[in-house]
Amino acid sequence: MDSGVDVPPGDAGSGYYPARVIVDLDAIRANVRRLAQGAPSAAVMAVVKADGYGHGMLPVAVAALEAGATWLGTAQLDGAFALRAAGHEVPVLAWIYAPGAPFAAAIGADIDLSVPAPWALIEVIRAAREAGRPARVHLKVDTGLGRGGSFLEPWTDLLHAALAAEQRGEVRVVGVWSHLARADEQGHPGVHAQIEVFEEALRRADAAGARLEVRHLANSAATLAVPEAHYDLVRPGLAIYGLSPFAHRGAAEIGLRPAMRLEADLALVKAAPAGQGVSYGHTYTTTRETMLGVVPLGYGDGIPRHASNVGPVQVAGRRHTIAGRVCMDQFVLDLGPGGAPVAAGERAVLFGAGDDGEPTARDWADVVGTIDYEIVTRIGSRIPRVHVGSADGFGGTGVSDVTAAVEVPLPDQEATEALGRRLAGLLRAGDLVVLTGDLGAGKTTLTRGIGAGLDVRGPVASPTFIIARVHPSLVGGPDLVHVDAYRLESLDEVDALDLDASLADSVTVVEWGEGVVESLSEDRLEVSLDRPRGTGTDPGAPDPGRVARLRGTGPRWSGIDLTGTGVAVGRVGEQADPPADVR
């Protein structure tokens, strides 16, 4: 099946990549609704950890909330901070950290914290004192998984210590939770054994006077098949993305639709004689004259090396198997000696929903001996994510005049500034640009590029300590007003700053503006910058995980194709010939 999304040819430094991950946000919404219907007595926490299982955390979070989820779960704290920076105000739970984690910042951001052990409670209490507000904690009991949390007897001591801290105003014990080891094995007695331990933990919490908001135990499999584990809140992860948690039941059987499609454009097609060895070690040899196709994806992109000689790929409606070893950046297909001609640029589909016979993530998991969780989450960040579905799935505003959401990979600061310069070519007096993203994600760097493109007086630097700064035009064009909205209740407060510029005659760029500027104007260009944890600490180092997500909202941007910046990957379709094969 053609993806129905067009990708324009790239130019030098544009972030071009000859492959893409296409994520169907409508499928995400449908899956969340299906899960909510399966657990009608419980609220739904959409688990968006690991960058939304590789699908893109922020777009997935919006789609899940639109479909009825009321909580978000991230595992790692950096994901929780990113959700808050993107303006999400729903409860967010994080549960994986080590001693020394930034608990005070998490408490200040109103992030719920799992507390699995006494050391964690001690550090969270200390951080709550520093933050000047109580921490919202969920006490994790190990009911039999043998992983996170405390076993029942030491957990009971942890419970009493937490309730004592609650009496002192240091924490608020809002939840008790655990995780199931074998919910995907329907009818396994271990599931009910864990439920019995969980029930005992709840009895002890009730006897100790805990005033819980939520009790939660169910993962995807339990949400679908163990109603007695639903309690107040269910935590589906894999099923949100349309993948079945059960080994012997496919997604369609349980009413789910896979949301991810991975495809690439053949970089080379050539004739090969019989007896030709293929790829490193010649573990595959042609048996007749044939055509070989080079797919520009490899284990550097997350393609399992174990898929050598077994991975399924569809080209021109026919399935083929990887020929020879998967390399870091490419692998080879034996396309056969005859049939319809296939040329460079032909689309190769590694996996998708299976609608037209293309392989699925489950097919890949089966042949390499793993689970489909791993297949989708390991797909590398250097492959652009293209999110399709209804237009308001990116920001959830419900405004009809919106452009298609566009993603732009930003491997370094130079690429971020280059994007800003290109965006400046679309901007005019009175335009509003809203920037969101983590600290250090590149908001000021992008603004610096916009300033360069507008030819304004520099230098453009963060306005954090002065709230707003005016950069006059040097060429008679619009001025640049650079605003830090972190401490503002509304952008209306900027008027009180007595700036030497009118917003109507300027391009206004607002950092941390989501949730602040919406009432000011229905017309705005929204740019969300995603900077994964640990990147960008060295200004000269590559930052392969950084992406910008662009969307225009309101009549001003209606019909404007943001892919015209020359850097975006947005609608996928025909493409210029990819580069010749280079090892």
Side-chain angles (χ1 to χ4, degrees):
M1 181 181 79
D2 190 282
S3 61
V5 184
D6 297 321
V7 175
D11 57 14
S14 71
Y16 162 80
Y17 210 70
R20 64 212 60 92
V21 170
I22 300 166
V23 178
D24 184 352
L25 295 178
D26 284 336
I28 298 286
R29 294 183 185 90
N31 296 332
V32 171
R33 286 192 290 268
R34 161 71 180 92
L35 292 159
Q37 291 167 357
S41 63
V44 175
M45 173 190 291
V47 177
V48 294
K49 63 181 181 177
D51 194 28
Y53 286 54
H55 293 65
M57 181 182 70
L58 295 180
V60 166
V62 170
L65 293 173
E66 288 175 343
T70 55
W71 286 66
L72 296 171
T74 65
Q76 299 282 356
L77 279 169
D78 62 343
F81 285 123
L83 289 169
R84 285 291 186 247
H88 292 296
E89 298 179 354
V90 299
V92 174
L93 175 65
W95 56 86
I96 295 180
Y97 51 76
F103 295 117
I107 295 166
D110 199 26
I111 294 167
D112 284 22
L113 297 168
S114 169
V115 170
W119 74 262
L121 180 62
I122 291 169
E123 291 207 17
V124 168
I125 289 172
R126 185 183 303 127
R129 293 169 182 163
E130 179 185 342
R133 61 187 294 185
R136 288 173 52 89
V137 301
H138 299 233
L139 303 179
K140 187 171 188 182
V141 55
D142 189 336
T143 55
L145 178 60
R147 195 178 65 181
S150 294
F151 292 116
L152 186 59
E153 294 308 323
W155 180 86
T156 304
D157 295 334
L158 179 67
L159 166 70
H160 289 293
L163 291 176
E166 184 173 71
Q167 290 296 314
R168 298 191 299 269
E170 296 164 332
V171 304
R172 171 77 178 92
V173 180
V174 299
V176 170
W177 76 299
S178 189
H179 197 57
L180 296 168
R182 309 183 78 160
D184 56 329
E185 301 175 48
Q186 292 182 263
H188 193 282
V191 175
H192 294 282
Q194 284 194 253
I195 291 175
E196 289 178 4
V197 176
F198 191 64
E199 287 283 348
E200 177 59 24
L202 294 176
R203 283 192 290 270
R204 296 185 185 192
D206 184 61
R211 297 163 296 172
L212 303 177
E213 293 179 14
V214 287
R215 305 160 299 160
H216 48 112
L217 178 63
N219 55 8
S220 286
T223 300
L224 290 162
V226 190
E228 59 268 40
H230 289 171
Y231 295 99
D232 307 302
L233 179 69
V234 293
R235 305 186 312 267
L238 183 76
I240 286 174
Y241 307 96
L243 302 175
S244 172
F246 306 112
H248 302 296
R249 297 178 67 191
E253 293 178 62
I254 53 179
L256 302 175
R257 178 172 176 78
M260 180 185 287
R261 176 184 175 93
L262 175 60
E263 60 181 41
D265 305 314
L266 291 181
L268 179 69
V269 176
K270 64 183 179 183
Q276 174 63 53
V278 177
S279 196
Y280 292 124
H282 283 180
T283 60
Y284 178 88
T285 302
T286 61
T287 58
R288 72 265 193 254
E289 291 185 356
T290 191
M291 302 298 292
L292 299 179
V294 176
V295 178
L297 288 172
Y299 59 77
D301 300 288
I303 308 303
R305 193 169 183 269
H306 283 26
S308 300
N309 292 306
V310 296
V313 181
Q314 184 190 63
V315 178
R318 295 178 58 192
R319 278 209 196 191
H320 303 277
T321 300
I322 292 176
R325 288 183 181 161
V326 174
C327 307
M328 183 179 292
D329 304 287
Q330 56 195 306
F331 62 80
V332 181
L333 299 174
D334 185 339
L335 298 172
V342 174
E346 185 78 40
R347 194 160 299 163
V349 181
L350 281 73
F351 58 81
D355 293 340
D356 289 326
E358 75 272 21
T360 64
R362 174 64 61 87
D363 292 334
W364 273 75
D366 289 344
V367 299
V368 302
T370 187
I371 54 177
D372 37 13
Y373 298 71
E374 182 180 358
I375 296 299
V376 294
T377 58
R378 71 184 294 160
I379 300 304
S381 60
R382 71 180 181 177
I383 304 176
R385 267 60 172 175
V386 180
H387 294 92
V388 299
S390 58
D392 69 342
F394 179 75
T397 64
V399 177
S400 60
D401 290 322
V402 291
T403 67
V406 170
E407 282 200 354
V408 185
L410 300 175
D412 52 32
Q413 289 188 348
E414 182 178 354
T416 304
E417 284 201 36
L419 172 60
R421 287 192 296 271
R422 288 176 169 84
L423 290 177
L426 297 175
L427 297 172
R428 65 192 188 198
D431 279 347
L432 176 64
V433 181
V434 183
L435 304 184
T436 57
D438 293 345
L439 287 170
K443 295 185 292 296
T444 299
T445 302
L446 183 70
T447 307
R448 188 177 302 123
I450 292 174
L454 294 174
D455 285 324
V456 301
R457 181 180 299 153
V460 174
S462 173
T464 299
F465 298 104
I466 62 171
I467 301 180
R469 179 182 286 115
V470 177
H471 296 276
S473 173
L474 299 174
V475 293
D479 297 338
L480 172 65
V481 178
H482 188 194
V483 180
D484 187 324
Y486 188 75
R487 290 174 289 164
L488 298 180
E489 293 295 328
S490 166
L491 198 60
D492 294 335
E493 296 177 28
V494 174
D495 291 338
L497 300 177
D498 195 24
L499 298 175
D500 293 328
S502 164
L503 298 188
D505 297 325
S506 307
V507 170
T508 304
V509 177
V510 185
E511 298 189 20
W512 304 100
E514 190 171 42
V516 176
V517 305
E518 283 81 354
S519 62
L520 185 69
S521 174
E522 64 176 333
D523 294 311
R524 56 191 179 273
L525 174 62
E526 300 171 353
V527 182
S528 174
L529 295 162
D530 182 12
R531 174 182 174 270
R533 186 178 182 179
T535 61
T537 54
D538 179 355
D543 194 357
R546 193 189 306 255
V547 297
R549 298 181 177 90
L550 316 178
R551 192 190 71 163
T553 294
R556 157 74 175 94
W557 294 96
S558 179
I560 293 180
D561 184 1
L562 293 177
T563 61
T565 61
V567 297
V569 177
R571 291 187 287 275
V572 182
E574 296 305 315
Q575 212 163 276
D577 288 339
D581 175 54
V582 178
R583 174 172 294 178

